[in-house]
Amino acid sequence: MPRGYFQRMKIRILWVGRTKEKYLTEGINYYLRLLKRSPSLIKILEIKDERGKDCQRTISEEGKRILAQTSSYVLLDESGIQMSSKELASFLASRNSTDFLIGGHYGVSDEVRNNSSLIISLSKMTFTHEMTRLIFLEQLYRSLTIIKGMEYHH
């Protein structure tokens, strides 16, 4: 990697709503501390979730908020392609900046899905949107250690 590469790399993670489970918040904070070792690399943007039981209205309103914050993003969704940690590392290494999006409780609108530049699935299994945050941060950290040639990813 060229000198200063990680100072130029910017990753934003947009997610809908707050993480409510304490154990997940602790795990998320742990990986954010590890990721913050590379200055200005990671930024989390929490998008306000929509309250209510009307699924379509919730998805629509959250979709408007998402699209107001980003126009180019990679959606994390169970319907996407799967990548190994090394493939994710290669993807990240090929870009200077990337926005990743994790939808809310009901997922994302068709408009948000259709406007994504890529859809990635973390697994064939389904995870809650809150668990996805923690799992993705761990994979992001793992990918960055691969790029740096560190031993963590083994």
Side-chain angles (χ1 to χ4, degrees):
M1 255 332 98
R3 184 173 170 83
Y5 173 76
F6 287 100
Q7 281 73 30
R8 290 190 310 272
M9 181 186 244
K10 306 273 188 233
I11 298 172
R12 282 196 329 163
I13 305 169
L14 295 83
W15 62 50
V16 176
R18 295 182 178 213
T19 307
K20 295 170 184 74
E21 296 293 337
K22 183 179 177 186
Y23 74 98
L24 291 172
T25 300
E26 289 171 359
I28 287 167
N29 289 335
Y30 172 78
Y31 283 103
L32 286 174
R33 279 192 304 276
L34 291 176
L35 288 162
K36 293 288 182 185
R37 292 180 184 167
S38 299
S40 71
L41 175 65
I42 304 291
K43 181 178 179 181
I44 303 294
L45 180 58
E46 193 174 272
I47 296 172
K48 184 181 180 314
D49 57 347
E50 181 69 19
R51 304 294 173 154
K53 298 199 185 238
D54 182 341
C55 177
Q56 290 306 314
R57 182 176 180 280
T58 296
I59 288 172
S60 175
E61 291 302 314
E62 290 173 353
K64 291 174 190 173
R65 292 179 191 138
I66 291 165
L67 295 173
Q69 296 296 324
T70 183
S71 59
S72 177
Y73 52 91
V74 174
L75 176 63
L76 297 175
D77 186 86
E78 64 189 13
S79 69
I81 63 167
Q82 293 186 5
M83 291 184 176
S84 69
S85 297
K86 288 182 179 181
E87 288 168 333
L88 180 59
S90 178
F91 173 79
L92 291 171
S94 72
R95 304 169 68 97
N96 285 331
S97 67
T98 307
D99 283 0
F100 289 95
L101 172 62
I102 301 170
H105 180 73
Y106 294 119
V108 297
S109 67
D110 288 341
E111 184 179 13
V112 169
R113 182 180 314 284
N114 294 337
N115 284 324
S116 64
S117 59
L118 179 66
I119 303 175
I120 296 175
S121 171
L122 296 177
S123 172
K124 290 182 180 181
M125 296 179 188
T126 303
F127 303 116
T128 67
H129 63 290
E130 290 188 16
M131 292 180 90
T132 299
R133 299 167 186 178
L134 174 59
I135 294 165
F136 180 65
L137 286 171
E138 190 281 334
Q139 282 301 300
L140 192 56
Y141 178 71
R142 183 176 299 271
S143 294
L144 295 175
T145 63
I146 291 169
I147 292 169
K148 291 179 179 180
M150 297 168 60
E151 294 296 316
Y152 174 83
H153 69 279
H154 290 287

